Amino acid sequence: MFGSLFKRSKGRQPPEVLGLTIGRGITFDPIALRLLPADSLIERPDTTLMITAQGHCDLGEQSHMHRFYPDDDRFLIQFQGGDGETDERVDEIMLWYFHDVQYPSGDAEWGRMKTAIRQTGYTLRGEDGDHRFERAWFDTSTAPEDPMTYWEDVCDARDGSGRRRIFQTAMLFARPLKDGRDEMLLINMEEPEGAERSVAFMIGFPLERHNFSV
């Protein structure tokens, strides 16, 4: 279905996925943005976001994540599926909103966060109150579970230059909204090579192909 919208990358250039890559804009259908539930924690992005960096994660078992970082650093667009070159499938499209980013002060605080995201649920605290999320990965288990780990390769230019690597430790949680849909919480512990480590709390909303244009 989506294959005709891919173009092969050359050399180490990041691939175009559904036509999206560095230097291009993604324009959201304003109706789709208005359909975001009122009790969602995600903020509405501008109708158009320009992509300034692009990441790739090889998750193994022929599954890949392509991440597109726009000029508004509150948001991230993510496609999951094939490698974008030899395998052109797209299984999932997500819009992520950075609800919070924290910078642990030391190893002890970092370790406590790793322990917290292994549990069956996570309470996200905010100025408007607490929001309880239940673990979406390993949701049939009642025991602590190890989070997913992977490397993300990020580049800042269409020619593939400005590359950097980030080791990530992540767990996915969910909570029901009033309209019956689930809101996703991805807690992403990021360890960039040669840079300060951080923990990102990302609220996710699924997109359909007709919700945006490139």
Side-chain angles (χ1 to χ4, degrees), residues 130-148:
D130 296 344
H131 304 278
R132 181 67 177 178
F133 290 79
E134 302 301 327
R135 196 170 61 200
W137 291 339
F138 313 106
D139 59 326
T140 60
S141 170
T142 59
E145 296 288 348
D146 290 335
M148 180 181 291

Side-chain angles (χ1 to χ4, degrees), residues 9-171:
S9 64
K10 297 179 180 179
R12 290 176 58 81
Q13 283 186 329
E16 297 179 19
V17 185
L18 303 187
L20 192 61
T21 189
I22 296 170
R24 295 187 181 167
I26 180 170
T27 299
F28 300 102
D29 180 351
I31 295 177
L33 296 182
R34 286 199 297 269
L35 291 177
L36 285 168
D39 56 337
S40 172
L41 298 177
I42 193 170
E43 290 191 11
R44 275 64 171 169
D46 292 336
T47 304
T48 299
L49 299 175
M50 295 299 299
I51 304 303
T52 59
Q54 183 170 338
H56 169 255
C57 310
D58 186 345
L59 303 178
E61 300 182 352
Q62 298 181 327
S63 183
H64 297 256
M65 284 194 307
H66 302 272
R67 288 175 164 172
F68 301 89
Y69 297 88
D71 48 359
D72 186 338
D73 60 9
R74 298 175 301 162
F75 296 98
L76 166 69
I77 299 97
Q78 177 178 291
F79 299 152
Q80 187 164 334
D83 62 8
E85 295 182 315
T86 60
D87 184 350
E88 301 178 342
R89 78 182 192 280
V90 172
D91 300 325
E92 179 185 80
I93 306 171
M94 293 289 293
L95 172 66
W96 292 102
Y97 164 66
F98 287 86
H99 177 77
D100 188 21
V101 179
Q102 299 178 5
Y103 298 88
S105 59
D107 291 341
E109 189 175 347
W110 187 260
R112 284 194 293 270
M113 179 55 67
K114 275 190 176 180
T115 298
I117 67 173
R118 296 182 69 242
Q119 309 311 311
T120 58
Y122 188 87
T123 299
L124 188 64
R125 306 193 186 281
E127 296 179 356
D128 59 342
D130 296 344
H131 304 278
R132 181 67 177 178
F133 290 79
E134 302 301 327
R135 196 170 61 200
W137 291 339
F138 313 106
D139 59 326
T140 60
S141 170
T142 59
E145 296 288 348
D146 290 335
M148 180 181 291
T149 59
Y150 48 85
W151 283 96
E152 181 179 9
D153 293 293
V154 182
C155 57
D156 298 316
R158 184 70 187 101
D159 62 5
S161 61
R163 287 183 177 268
R164 58 192 185 278
R165 301 192 78 206
I166 306 171
F167 184 71
Q168 307 193 26
T169 302
M171 184 62 81

